Short mmCIF file of all heavy atoms in Angstrom, two decimals:
data_model
loop_
_atom_site.label_atom_id
_atom_site.label_comp_id
_atom_site.label_asym_id
_atom_site.label_seq_id
_atom_site.Cartn_x
_atom_site.Cartn_y
_atom_site.Cartn_z
N LEU A 260 2.86 -4.94 -16.81
CA LEU A 260 4.23 -4.74 -17.30
C LEU A 260 4.29 -3.37 -17.87
O LEU A 260 3.49 -2.86 -18.69
CB LEU A 260 4.42 -5.86 -18.49
CG LEU A 260 5.69 -5.65 -19.31
CD1 LEU A 260 6.88 -5.92 -18.49
CD2 LEU A 260 5.61 -6.68 -20.50
N VAL A 261 5.34 -2.59 -17.54
CA VAL A 261 5.62 -1.29 -17.89
C VAL A 261 7.10 -1.09 -18.18
O VAL A 261 7.95 -1.69 -17.56
CB VAL A 261 5.06 -0.35 -16.85
CG1 VAL A 261 5.86 -0.48 -15.51
CG2 VAL A 261 5.05 1.18 -17.33
N GLN A 262 7.38 -0.10 -19.08
CA GLN A 262 8.81 0.20 -19.34
C GLN A 262 9.43 1.11 -18.31
O GLN A 262 8.69 1.85 -17.63
CB GLN A 262 8.86 0.90 -20.80
CG GLN A 262 8.52 0.00 -21.86
CD GLN A 262 8.74 0.63 -23.19
OE1 GLN A 262 8.59 1.82 -23.41
NE2 GLN A 262 8.98 -0.17 -24.23
N PRO A 263 10.72 1.14 -18.16
CA PRO A 263 11.35 2.13 -17.21
C PRO A 263 10.88 3.53 -17.56
O PRO A 263 10.86 3.83 -18.70
CB PRO A 263 12.78 1.78 -17.48
CG PRO A 263 12.89 0.47 -17.90
CD PRO A 263 11.64 0.22 -18.75
N GLY A 264 10.69 4.21 -16.45
CA GLY A 264 10.17 5.63 -16.64
C GLY A 264 8.63 5.74 -16.68
O GLY A 264 8.06 6.84 -16.63
N GLY A 265 7.96 4.66 -16.84
CA GLY A 265 6.50 4.60 -16.94
C GLY A 265 5.86 4.74 -15.56
O GLY A 265 6.43 4.93 -14.53
N SER A 266 4.50 4.75 -15.65
CA SER A 266 3.66 4.93 -14.46
C SER A 266 2.61 3.87 -14.29
O SER A 266 2.16 3.27 -15.34
CB SER A 266 2.98 6.34 -14.46
OG SER A 266 3.93 7.36 -14.47
N LEU A 267 2.20 3.63 -13.08
CA LEU A 267 1.08 2.75 -12.82
C LEU A 267 0.39 3.21 -11.60
O LEU A 267 1.01 3.93 -10.73
CB LEU A 267 1.56 1.28 -12.54
CG LEU A 267 1.97 0.40 -13.65
CD1 LEU A 267 2.52 -0.86 -13.10
CD2 LEU A 267 0.83 0.15 -14.58
N ARG A 268 -0.90 2.99 -11.48
CA ARG A 268 -1.73 3.24 -10.31
C ARG A 268 -2.30 1.94 -9.75
O ARG A 268 -3.12 1.34 -10.41
CB ARG A 268 -2.84 4.32 -10.64
CG ARG A 268 -3.65 4.69 -9.42
CD ARG A 268 -4.66 5.74 -9.73
NE ARG A 268 -5.36 6.32 -8.64
CZ ARG A 268 -6.62 6.06 -8.31
NH1 ARG A 268 -7.35 5.26 -9.04
NH2 ARG A 268 -7.21 6.70 -7.33
N LEU A 269 -1.88 1.62 -8.57
CA LEU A 269 -2.38 0.43 -7.90
C LEU A 269 -3.52 0.76 -6.99
O LEU A 269 -3.61 1.78 -6.39
CB LEU A 269 -1.32 -0.23 -7.06
CG LEU A 269 0.10 -0.60 -7.74
CD1 LEU A 269 0.95 -1.27 -6.79
CD2 LEU A 269 -0.14 -1.37 -9.07
N SER A 270 -4.51 -0.19 -6.88
CA SER A 270 -5.67 -0.05 -6.02
C SER A 270 -5.77 -1.22 -5.12
O SER A 270 -5.37 -2.28 -5.45
CB SER A 270 -6.98 -0.03 -6.86
OG SER A 270 -6.94 1.16 -7.78
N CYS A 271 -6.36 -0.98 -3.96
CA CYS A 271 -6.55 -2.06 -2.91
C CYS A 271 -7.98 -1.79 -2.33
O CYS A 271 -8.25 -0.74 -1.76
CB CYS A 271 -5.53 -1.92 -1.89
SG CYS A 271 -5.85 -3.03 -0.40
N ALA A 272 -8.82 -2.80 -2.52
CA ALA A 272 -10.20 -2.76 -1.98
C ALA A 272 -10.10 -3.56 -0.67
O ALA A 272 -9.84 -4.70 -0.74
CB ALA A 272 -11.18 -3.33 -3.01
N ALA A 273 -10.55 -2.93 0.41
CA ALA A 273 -10.55 -3.57 1.73
C ALA A 273 -11.97 -3.82 2.23
O ALA A 273 -12.88 -3.09 1.92
CB ALA A 273 -9.76 -2.74 2.74
N SER A 274 -12.06 -4.95 2.96
CA SER A 274 -13.40 -5.28 3.50
C SER A 274 -13.20 -6.08 4.89
O SER A 274 -12.12 -6.61 5.04
CB SER A 274 -14.29 -6.05 2.56
OG SER A 274 -13.63 -7.29 2.14
N GLY A 275 -14.30 -6.12 5.63
CA GLY A 275 -14.25 -6.89 6.83
C GLY A 275 -13.87 -6.09 8.13
O GLY A 275 -13.78 -6.80 9.20
N PHE A 276 -13.66 -4.84 7.97
CA PHE A 276 -13.37 -4.07 9.12
C PHE A 276 -13.73 -2.53 8.89
O PHE A 276 -14.09 -2.27 7.73
CB PHE A 276 -11.87 -4.05 9.54
CG PHE A 276 -10.90 -3.61 8.54
CD1 PHE A 276 -10.40 -2.31 8.58
CD2 PHE A 276 -10.59 -4.35 7.39
CE1 PHE A 276 -9.50 -1.78 7.60
CE2 PHE A 276 -9.75 -3.89 6.44
CZ PHE A 276 -9.17 -2.64 6.52
N ILE A 277 -13.80 -1.73 9.93
CA ILE A 277 -14.17 -0.35 9.72
C ILE A 277 -12.94 0.42 9.11
O ILE A 277 -12.08 0.82 9.82
CB ILE A 277 -14.60 0.27 11.00
CG1 ILE A 277 -15.84 -0.53 11.61
CG2 ILE A 277 -15.09 1.76 10.72
CD1 ILE A 277 -16.32 -0.03 12.85
N PHE A 278 -12.88 0.58 7.83
CA PHE A 278 -11.69 1.01 7.05
C PHE A 278 -11.17 2.33 7.64
O PHE A 278 -9.97 2.53 7.79
CB PHE A 278 -12.04 1.06 5.63
CG PHE A 278 -10.90 1.58 4.76
CD1 PHE A 278 -9.89 0.61 4.39
CD2 PHE A 278 -10.75 2.84 4.41
CE1 PHE A 278 -8.82 1.07 3.56
CE2 PHE A 278 -9.77 3.27 3.58
CZ PHE A 278 -8.80 2.42 3.13
N ARG A 279 -12.12 3.33 7.82
CA ARG A 279 -11.73 4.63 8.21
C ARG A 279 -11.02 4.80 9.54
O ARG A 279 -10.42 5.84 9.84
CB ARG A 279 -12.96 5.57 8.19
CG ARG A 279 -13.96 5.26 9.30
CD ARG A 279 -15.17 6.24 9.21
NE ARG A 279 -16.15 5.96 10.31
CZ ARG A 279 -17.08 5.09 10.20
NH1 ARG A 279 -17.23 4.33 9.05
NH2 ARG A 279 -17.94 4.87 11.21
N ASN A 280 -11.04 3.71 10.37
CA ASN A 280 -10.42 3.74 11.69
C ASN A 280 -9.02 3.20 11.71
O ASN A 280 -8.40 3.18 12.81
CB ASN A 280 -11.30 2.87 12.70
CG ASN A 280 -12.54 3.61 13.03
OD1 ASN A 280 -12.78 4.74 12.73
ND2 ASN A 280 -13.42 2.85 13.74
N TYR A 281 -8.47 2.76 10.56
CA TYR A 281 -7.17 2.12 10.52
C TYR A 281 -6.26 2.74 9.57
O TYR A 281 -6.64 3.10 8.39
CB TYR A 281 -7.33 0.63 10.17
CG TYR A 281 -8.00 -0.12 11.34
CD1 TYR A 281 -9.36 -0.20 11.39
CD2 TYR A 281 -7.16 -0.71 12.30
CE1 TYR A 281 -9.92 -0.91 12.45
CE2 TYR A 281 -7.83 -1.39 13.40
CZ TYR A 281 -9.18 -1.51 13.44
OH TYR A 281 -9.83 -2.14 14.48
N ASP A 282 -4.88 2.93 9.94
CA ASP A 282 -3.85 3.32 9.10
C ASP A 282 -3.63 2.16 8.09
O ASP A 282 -3.82 0.97 8.45
CB ASP A 282 -2.54 3.60 9.85
CG ASP A 282 -2.70 4.68 10.91
OD1 ASP A 282 -3.71 5.41 10.87
OD2 ASP A 282 -1.72 4.80 11.67
N MET A 283 -3.16 2.49 6.93
CA MET A 283 -2.87 1.47 5.86
C MET A 283 -1.56 1.61 5.34
O MET A 283 -0.94 2.66 5.29
CB MET A 283 -3.92 1.71 4.76
CG MET A 283 -5.43 1.38 5.19
SD MET A 283 -5.69 -0.27 5.67
CE MET A 283 -5.40 -1.10 4.03
N SER A 284 -1.00 0.45 4.81
CA SER A 284 0.36 0.39 4.30
C SER A 284 0.36 -0.43 2.92
O SER A 284 -0.44 -1.35 2.76
CB SER A 284 1.33 -0.29 5.23
OG SER A 284 1.45 0.54 6.47
N TRP A 285 1.29 -0.06 2.12
CA TRP A 285 1.72 -0.89 1.01
C TRP A 285 3.03 -1.55 1.21
O TRP A 285 3.96 -0.88 1.76
CB TRP A 285 1.79 -0.05 -0.33
CG TRP A 285 0.48 0.33 -0.88
CD1 TRP A 285 -0.19 1.44 -0.72
CD2 TRP A 285 -0.29 -0.48 -1.83
NE1 TRP A 285 -1.37 1.48 -1.48
CE2 TRP A 285 -1.45 0.26 -2.16
CE3 TRP A 285 -0.19 -1.75 -2.36
CZ2 TRP A 285 -2.41 -0.22 -3.05
CZ3 TRP A 285 -1.09 -2.20 -3.28
CH2 TRP A 285 -2.21 -1.42 -3.58
N TYR A 286 3.15 -2.76 0.97
CA TYR A 286 4.39 -3.59 0.96
C TYR A 286 4.66 -4.13 -0.53
O TYR A 286 3.82 -4.13 -1.27
CB TYR A 286 4.27 -4.76 1.90
CG TYR A 286 4.37 -4.41 3.43
CD1 TYR A 286 3.38 -3.77 4.04
CD2 TYR A 286 5.52 -4.70 4.08
CE1 TYR A 286 3.38 -3.45 5.43
CE2 TYR A 286 5.62 -4.43 5.43
CZ TYR A 286 4.59 -3.79 6.15
OH TYR A 286 4.61 -3.52 7.44
N ARG A 287 5.90 -4.53 -0.63
CA ARG A 287 6.25 -5.21 -1.94
C ARG A 287 7.30 -6.26 -1.69
O ARG A 287 8.03 -6.26 -0.67
CB ARG A 287 6.78 -4.20 -3.03
CG ARG A 287 8.14 -3.58 -2.64
CD ARG A 287 8.46 -2.54 -3.70
NE ARG A 287 9.79 -1.98 -3.51
CZ ARG A 287 10.35 -1.01 -4.23
NH1 ARG A 287 9.55 -0.45 -5.20
NH2 ARG A 287 11.50 -0.53 -3.98
N GLN A 288 7.27 -7.35 -2.53
CA GLN A 288 8.26 -8.38 -2.42
C GLN A 288 8.85 -8.61 -3.76
O GLN A 288 8.18 -9.26 -4.69
CB GLN A 288 7.67 -9.63 -1.90
CG GLN A 288 8.63 -10.73 -1.73
CD GLN A 288 8.10 -11.86 -0.83
OE1 GLN A 288 6.89 -12.19 -0.97
NE2 GLN A 288 8.96 -12.57 -0.02
N PRO A 289 10.03 -8.12 -4.06
CA PRO A 289 10.81 -8.42 -5.30
C PRO A 289 11.13 -9.93 -5.42
O PRO A 289 11.15 -10.62 -4.40
CB PRO A 289 12.04 -7.62 -5.24
CG PRO A 289 11.84 -6.61 -4.17
CD PRO A 289 10.92 -7.26 -3.16
N PRO A 290 11.28 -10.47 -6.64
CA PRO A 290 11.57 -11.85 -6.81
C PRO A 290 12.90 -12.27 -6.01
O PRO A 290 13.93 -11.52 -6.14
CB PRO A 290 11.80 -12.03 -8.27
CG PRO A 290 11.98 -10.64 -8.79
CD PRO A 290 11.29 -9.70 -7.95
N GLY A 291 12.84 -13.23 -5.20
CA GLY A 291 13.98 -13.73 -4.50
C GLY A 291 14.37 -12.83 -3.33
O GLY A 291 15.43 -13.13 -2.67
N LYS A 292 13.61 -11.88 -2.94
CA LYS A 292 13.96 -10.94 -1.85
C LYS A 292 12.90 -10.98 -0.76
O LYS A 292 11.85 -11.50 -0.94
CB LYS A 292 14.28 -9.61 -2.33
CG LYS A 292 15.35 -9.57 -3.33
CD LYS A 292 15.62 -8.11 -3.83
CE LYS A 292 16.27 -7.22 -2.76
NZ LYS A 292 16.62 -5.87 -3.20
N GLU A 293 13.23 -10.26 0.30
CA GLU A 293 12.21 -10.17 1.48
C GLU A 293 11.24 -9.12 1.21
O GLU A 293 11.48 -8.15 0.38
CB GLU A 293 13.01 -9.88 2.71
CG GLU A 293 14.09 -10.95 3.16
CD GLU A 293 14.86 -10.46 4.34
OE1 GLU A 293 14.72 -9.29 4.77
OE2 GLU A 293 15.60 -11.29 4.94
N ARG A 294 10.05 -9.32 1.81
CA ARG A 294 8.97 -8.31 1.71
C ARG A 294 9.44 -7.04 2.47
O ARG A 294 10.03 -7.15 3.48
CB ARG A 294 7.74 -8.91 2.30
CG ARG A 294 6.43 -8.24 1.70
CD ARG A 294 5.18 -8.90 2.41
NE ARG A 294 5.22 -10.32 2.42
CZ ARG A 294 4.46 -11.20 1.77
NH1 ARG A 294 3.60 -10.66 0.86
NH2 ARG A 294 4.59 -12.46 1.91
N GLU A 295 9.14 -5.94 1.93
CA GLU A 295 9.48 -4.59 2.48
C GLU A 295 8.39 -3.55 2.41
O GLU A 295 7.58 -3.61 1.58
CB GLU A 295 10.69 -4.10 1.76
CG GLU A 295 10.43 -3.63 0.25
CD GLU A 295 11.66 -3.19 -0.48
OE1 GLU A 295 12.79 -3.28 0.10
OE2 GLU A 295 11.55 -2.74 -1.64
N LEU A 296 8.40 -2.76 3.47
CA LEU A 296 7.38 -1.64 3.57
C LEU A 296 7.72 -0.64 2.49
O LEU A 296 8.83 -0.07 2.47
CB LEU A 296 7.38 -1.07 5.01
CG LEU A 296 6.53 0.12 5.20
CD1 LEU A 296 5.05 -0.25 5.03
CD2 LEU A 296 6.81 0.75 6.57
N VAL A 297 6.69 -0.19 1.80
CA VAL A 297 6.82 0.86 0.76
C VAL A 297 6.24 2.17 1.21
O VAL A 297 6.97 3.27 1.11
CB VAL A 297 6.12 0.43 -0.62
CG1 VAL A 297 6.19 1.49 -1.57
CG2 VAL A 297 6.74 -0.83 -1.08
N ALA A 298 5.09 2.26 1.72
CA ALA A 298 4.50 3.48 2.11
C ALA A 298 3.32 3.22 3.14
O ALA A 298 2.82 2.06 3.13
CB ALA A 298 3.85 4.16 0.89
N SER A 299 3.02 4.24 3.99
CA SER A 299 1.88 4.16 4.92
C SER A 299 1.18 5.51 4.94
O SER A 299 1.71 6.59 4.63
CB SER A 299 2.37 3.79 6.34
OG SER A 299 2.96 2.57 6.46
N ILE A 300 -0.14 5.36 5.30
CA ILE A 300 -0.93 6.55 5.35
C ILE A 300 -1.95 6.42 6.56
O ILE A 300 -2.46 5.37 6.75
CB ILE A 300 -1.74 6.86 4.04
CG1 ILE A 300 -2.52 8.11 4.11
CG2 ILE A 300 -2.66 5.67 3.70
CD1 ILE A 300 -3.04 8.60 2.76
N ASN A 301 -2.06 7.47 7.27
CA ASN A 301 -2.90 7.36 8.54
C ASN A 301 -4.41 7.54 8.18
O ASN A 301 -4.73 7.77 6.99
CB ASN A 301 -2.55 8.34 9.72
CG ASN A 301 -2.79 9.85 9.33
OD1 ASN A 301 -3.09 10.11 8.22
ND2 ASN A 301 -2.85 10.59 10.39
N THR A 302 -5.26 7.40 9.13
CA THR A 302 -6.72 7.40 8.92
C THR A 302 -7.25 8.78 8.28
O THR A 302 -8.13 8.72 7.36
CB THR A 302 -7.46 7.22 10.18
OG1 THR A 302 -7.17 8.21 11.17
CG2 THR A 302 -7.20 5.86 10.75
N GLY A 303 -6.66 9.89 8.69
CA GLY A 303 -7.07 11.18 8.24
C GLY A 303 -6.25 11.72 7.11
O GLY A 303 -6.52 12.88 6.72
N ARG A 304 -5.39 10.97 6.54
CA ARG A 304 -4.52 11.32 5.41
C ARG A 304 -3.56 12.53 5.71
O ARG A 304 -3.15 13.22 4.79
CB ARG A 304 -5.39 11.71 4.25
CG ARG A 304 -6.38 10.56 3.76
CD ARG A 304 -7.19 11.02 2.57
NE ARG A 304 -8.05 12.12 2.95
CZ ARG A 304 -8.46 13.04 2.10
NH1 ARG A 304 -8.08 12.99 0.81
NH2 ARG A 304 -9.34 14.01 2.48
N THR A 305 -3.20 12.69 6.95
CA THR A 305 -2.47 13.79 7.37
C THR A 305 -0.92 13.35 7.72
O THR A 305 -0.08 14.22 7.77
CB THR A 305 -2.96 14.44 8.58
OG1 THR A 305 -3.19 13.56 9.72
CG2 THR A 305 -4.32 15.07 8.24
N THR A 306 -0.72 12.10 7.87
CA THR A 306 0.65 11.59 8.15
C THR A 306 0.86 10.45 7.14
O THR A 306 0.23 9.44 7.07
CB THR A 306 0.65 11.11 9.57
OG1 THR A 306 0.39 12.17 10.48
CG2 THR A 306 2.17 10.58 9.84
#
C-alpha cells in the first residue's frame, strides 16, 4: 500500500527454464478490469 506519488520496486524470481534465453514481461490486472501488458525486456536488456 503506497500513497499517490510514491514508489515501489517489484521483484520476480523465475525458475524451471533457462532464464537468460527468454524475453520477460510484466502484466497487471486492476480490480474488475482485464489483464494488460505493462512492460517487456529482451534477453540482452537492449530492447
Side-chain angles (χ1 to χ4, degrees):
L260 171 64
V261 65
Q262 293 184 332
S266 297
L267 286 172
R268 184 177 186 253
L269 307 184
S270 298
C271 171
S274 61
F276 63 100
I277 303 175
F278 180 83
R279 67 181 181 273
N280 289 349
Y281 290 88
D282 300 349
M283 296 292 295
S284 296
W285 283 96
Y286 284 73
R287 69 185 182 186
Q288 186 167 32
K292 299 182 69 175
E293 298 175 353
R294 209 181 311 250
E295 64 183 7
L296 176 63
V297 175
S299 296
I300 185 168
N301 75 336
T302 57
R304 302 180 296 150
T305 58
T306 301

